[in-house]
Amino acid sequence: MKSVQTVLNYLDGNQDRFVRELCEYIRIPSVSAQTERRDDVRRCADWLTDHCRNMGLDAVVHATAGHPIVVAKTPRSKTSRKPQFVIYGHYDVQPAEPFELWKTPPFEPRIEGRSLFGRGASDNKGQNFAHLKAVEAYLKTNTELPCDLTFVLEGEEEVGSVSLETFLKAHRDELRCQAVVISDTGLPGLDYPALTCGLRGIFAVEITLCGPSRDLHSGLYGGTVDNPAMALCQLLAQLRDKKGRVAIPGFYDDVELLSKADRKEFARLPGTEAEYRKHLGVPKLFGESGFSYNEQRGARPTIEINGLTSGYQGEGSKTIVPAWAKAKLTFRLVPNQRPSQIRKLVLSRLRALCPPTVRMSLTVGHGGEPYLVSPSNPMAQAALRTLKQAFGHEPVLIRDGGSIPIVTQFKKILRADSLLLGLALPDDNLHSPNEKFSLDAFEKGMRMSALLWKELGALKTI
Ligand code: BES
Ligand code: ZN
């Protein structure tokens, strides 16, 4: 019988090809939010499907009302029953704008030292590719996989995973599994491999304030009609207090306080406030007092303006009262806040704050529940052992600030917890210009995946 060492040797021997293939994957601009990229998103799904087939997986691309979902399975043995796992990832990426802030074009991957630059390199192409390559290593060396694996790779994560939810309901039986393995989160450093036990939830809403029926001369009309941009700023300013707390009645009612154990785990994380501040380029940190920045990010709710648009921002001046102003807002949620309840509170507060001098329209966007799971079950313990072996360092438990709304759907629909084993480093620039993926994280991630199937396959209790 071939051992996992054969698999690891295959991984070591093929690194350069894996990096070249990952570059091909990144070159496809699969931006899910932009209609003009629809064909590119489709092309990316097809590329992945072909790639999976060439690796020896049984792969199908499923059309949806939105972007396609790729499902790829390891060949099933007719004789032995093995534990089953779903490996989830997303092949869609965030918009790359503003392009001018990229050192080199976002969809022309570039290697500098041990970093691979490109939109989606870390979030999430590089991370899901690490799992694909680990499985390729089993298949191409004819080493028996200790588990039956099904990859579910979607194209709508960055826009709320709407189609995947429907897909999970329709394919519940086919996707039955002991757990879902996901690498779409972060780790504090290569010497701090991490099991993520918590993610924040999210609620998104867009506000439009309309004033006059057209842009007006601000000298002739200013002072007689409200200015939608000003009205929007004044409205938004009332949604957060000076201490960084969300100023919406009832918003904190369901927020669970941090436990002693949680705070202890947060305190184990490396890095200082000064380093964090410097890394982000701000003159001073901002946030709720009484919490460290890791606690603020991981376990406290927030409101953020993601985009704010109105009036004239072109060259020179244009003296107008703009006809409209828009803002895109998201709230990050923590246990036990529910997006449906937050939606009610937010919408009614916005309506109450809107002055009679403008018309307001509200468009609700994606929602996702917060996620928190205990690391004490045997699968999480197996994952922690694997992290230690693959990275050569003691792992940490983290609660991260980002959201992967589908994880709570995996729980509800498939009744499966998610093992979140992230490979994104703090300086990977997720969603920012010059996103990158560490080739060391890639290498370690592939080892982690290869070893994980051995550890999980050996569990007697699942
Ligand atoms: N990979 C991220 C989420 C993430 C990153 C979690 C790092 C923890 C650490 C994911 O692709 C993402 O960006 N999700 C969106 C979800 C939203 C669009 C519904 C997010 O968090 O903004
Ligand atoms: Zn993302």
Side-chain angles (χ1 to χ4, degrees), residues 209 226-239 353 355:
L209 294 189
D226 203 352
N227 180 313
M230 186 63 82
L232 183 60
C233 292
Q234 288 175 327
L235 186 155
L236 294 175
Q238 294 176 71
L239 297 178
L353 289 175

Side-chain angles (χ1 to χ4, degrees), residues 15-35:
Q15 291 295 319
D16 292 350
R17 172 170 61 86
F18 295 159
V19 173
R20 281 199 304 278
E21 291 171 348
L22 177 55
C23 288
E24 247 182 73
Y25 188 11
I26 296 168
R27 205 164 280 131
I28 311 174
S30 45
V31 181
S32 52
Q34 298 171 338
T35 318

